[in-house]
Amino acid sequence: MSRAYNFNAGPAVLPVEVLEQARDEMVDFNKSGMSIIEHSHRGKEYDAVHQEAAANIRKLLNLTDEYAVLFLQGGASLQFAMVPMNLLGAGQTADYVNSGAWASKAVKEAKLIGSVNVSANTEKDIPTKLPRIEDLKLTKGAAYVHITSNETIAGTQWKKFPVTEAPLVADMSSDMLSRSFDAKQFGLIYAGAQKNLGPAGVALVIIRKDLAERVSEKVPTMLKYKTHIEENSLYNTPPCFSIYIMMLVTRWVQKMGVANLYKQNVDKAAKIYSAVDNSGGFYKGTAVREFRSDMNITFRLPSEPLEETFVKEASKLGMKGLKGHRSVGGIRASVYNAFPLEGINALVAFMADFQKKNG
Ligand code: PMP
């Protein structure tokens, strides 16, 4: 078997041992005579998986009973709409930090639902960056404050979260469980699974239960957090397979320890940033240093044709998915929790070699 070094931004690399376990029990789960994806979502086999996935998240984030853990569909993109539909009442304003492409999508959806104050805007800044916490223009009595903890395209990441009077809501799609943080600081956290958590098809939502009470009765049943809290994410058929893999991934994260993973993530990212910074300008980082993401490392080469050759040659050597997002171009190395150190070393060696030949 040969595994590629998978630098894709999402869906992305998952721990090999998780994939192997899923393979091994794919046809016959726990000697039940059927696959976990053939079991009823109301049966005891699937129920145990569902409960463990939620319990693992609770443990990893030290969640109190004030919070509910939900498994929803529609990706993080539906959360852009569900958050304001549930939390932004008539006559209220929500504060949004527009830090890049993903935050701006959240802003766009929220504006369809209610009144939005953009507290800071670095969406179009080049080099990419985040606003400073002290520069945020927050609304007194805001319904909530929305941030994007890691901008997957821009390659920027909040290193410290703002402390806000209004409940803080965060899109953590691309750095969930990559570092420790105090969940109590947040009213709501959401993340599409397909980076650090598992396969596409499920969005993880962590919500302080009292916030779910704000929703108007007029909001459709499936779009109310309240429905999913009351039904333990089993109002309808959940995405069983994605939740099953998330259960295995969160078991793996517990085994590894978030603090260890964080340390590795910082080291892995630093190796690539250092290769960029020590290239005498051949490689140019696209994010302002203090906001550089440990998950998505973005940089440019002297020309677009060179970038194309870089991506092609790396791919031939087994390094896949290095092409930057189609909206911005350049190179993006996404190095989530499960990305191995050997892949980082391979990329750094390739970068030096490529520069020697083309610099
Ligand atoms: N937010 C962020 C930060 C993302 O990176 C992505 C996907 N790359 C999304 C939201 C959208 O997620 P989904 O495709 O699950 O809707």
Side-chain angles (χ1 to χ4, degrees):
M1 183 188 71
S2 113
R3 293 265 299 164
Y5 291 130
N6 180 358
F7 289 95
N8 280 313
V13 60
L14 289 173
V16 184
E17 59 192 82
V18 165
L19 300 176
E20 287 174 343
Q21 181 169 349
R23 174 199 62 198
D24 291 346
E25 52 193 30
M26 189 63 186
V27 175
D28 182 7
F29 178 75
N30 272 354
K31 300 205 169 68
S32 64
M34 59 181 93
S35 172
I36 189 64
I37 56 175
E38 297 172 302
H39 272 287
S40 163
H41 62 293
R42 311 268 174 215
K44 75 173 181 1
E45 283 80 7
Y46 177 71
D47 191 58
V49 166
H50 194 87
Q51 303 308 338
E52 186 185 333
N56 291 349
I57 299 281
R58 281 194 170 281
K59 250 184 261 162
L60 284 164
L61 297 181
N62 252 325
L63 296 178
T64 61
D65 288 345
E66 281 175 293
Y67 289 85
V69 173
L70 306 178
F71 305 122
L72 306 182
Q73 299 189 57
S77 297
L78 186 58
Q79 293 310 306
F80 295 159
M82 270 181 80
V83 167
M85 282 172 116
N86 282 264
L87 268 52
L88 181 51
Q92 288 187 304
T93 295
D95 284 333
Y96 274 72
V97 179
N98 189 354
S99 52
W102 291 110
S104 90
K105 288 199 163 166
V107 170
K108 181 170 162 242
E109 292 304 286
K111 282 184 172 168
L112 297 173
I113 310 289
S115 159
V116 169
N117 166 52
V118 174
S119 306
N121 194 339
T122 56
E123 182 199 353
K124 299 221 153 50
D125 288 13
I126 299 204
T128 57
K129 66 177 197 294
L130 296 172
R132 275 175 216 295
I133 290 175
E134 58 273 23
D135 293 337
L136 300 181
K137 297 204 167 48
L138 300 176
T139 310
K140 191 118 196 76
Y144 59 88
V145 179
H146 181 284
I147 61 168
T148 308
S149 64
N150 185 77
E151 283 285 354
T152 324
I153 295 175
T156 52
Q157 183 177 33
W158 290 81
K159 302 295 167 183
K160 232 176 87 188
F161 297 117
V163 176
T164 54
E165 225 166 87
L168 186 59
V169 173
D171 173 1
M172 292 200 188
S173 293
S174 46
D175 66 353
M176 189 64 179
L177 299 186
S178 71
R179 55 176 165 172
S180 309
F181 63 91
D182 182 8
K184 284 195 294 298
Q185 225 188 306
F186 294 85
L188 191 151
I189 296 165
Y190 61 92
Q194 64 274 16
K195 294 145 200 315
N196 265 330
L197 300 175
V202 62
L204 172 67
V205 173
I206 291 146
I207 179 172
R208 221 178 65 207
K209 288 183 224 165
D210 62 294
L211 297 176
E213 297 298 326
R214 291 185 183 180
V215 72
S216 144
E217 279 311 311
K218 292 256 160 58
V219 170
T221 311
M222 272 294 283
L223 299 177
K224 283 191 178 95
Y225 292 122
K226 225 175 133 166
T227 305
H228 302 288
I229 294 172
E230 285 166 5
E231 300 292 333
N232 187 25
S233 305
L234 286 161
Y235 170 74
N236 71 327
T237 319
C240 303
F241 182 73
S242 301
I243 295 169
Y244 157 67
I245 299 287
M246 195 193 285
M247 181 276 280
L248 294 178
V249 171
T250 48
R251 247 190 217 171
W252 175 84
V253 173
Q254 282 180 294
K255 192 182 87 179
M256 302 297 287
V258 176
N260 289 331
L261 286 170
Y262 172 64
K263 192 175 169 304
Q264 286 173 21
N265 289 333
V266 170
D267 289 348
K268 288 187 305 189
K271 281 195 164 197
I272 303 177
Y273 285 124
S274 152
V276 168
D277 293 338
N278 295 322
S279 69
F282 183 74
Y283 299 108
K284 281 203 175 73
T286 49
V288 171
R289 202 174 283 252
E290 70 189 276
F291 303 115
R292 282 172 164 180
S293 168
D294 291 327
M295 297 281 101
N296 311 97
I297 292 141
T298 50
F299 57 93
R300 307 237 38 161
L301 271 69
S303 72
E304 286 183 20
L306 261 185
E307 288 171 345
E308 218 172 284
T309 314
F310 181 94
V311 171
K312 263 195 209 141
E313 286 187 12
S315 174
K316 277 194 216 141
L317 295 171
M319 288 171 265
K320 308 289 183 185
L322 282 163
K323 193 169 162 35
H325 190 268
R326 59 188 188 282
S327 60
V328 293
I331 306 295
R332 172 173 56 175
S334 298
V335 289
Y336 300 113
N337 280 347
F339 192 93
L341 182 61
E342 307 85 75
I344 305 285
N345 293 336
L347 176 63
V348 167
F350 170 72
M351 286 170 72
D353 192 51
F354 189 86
Q355 183 179 356
K356 217 180 282 162
K357 287 184 187 138
N358 299 280

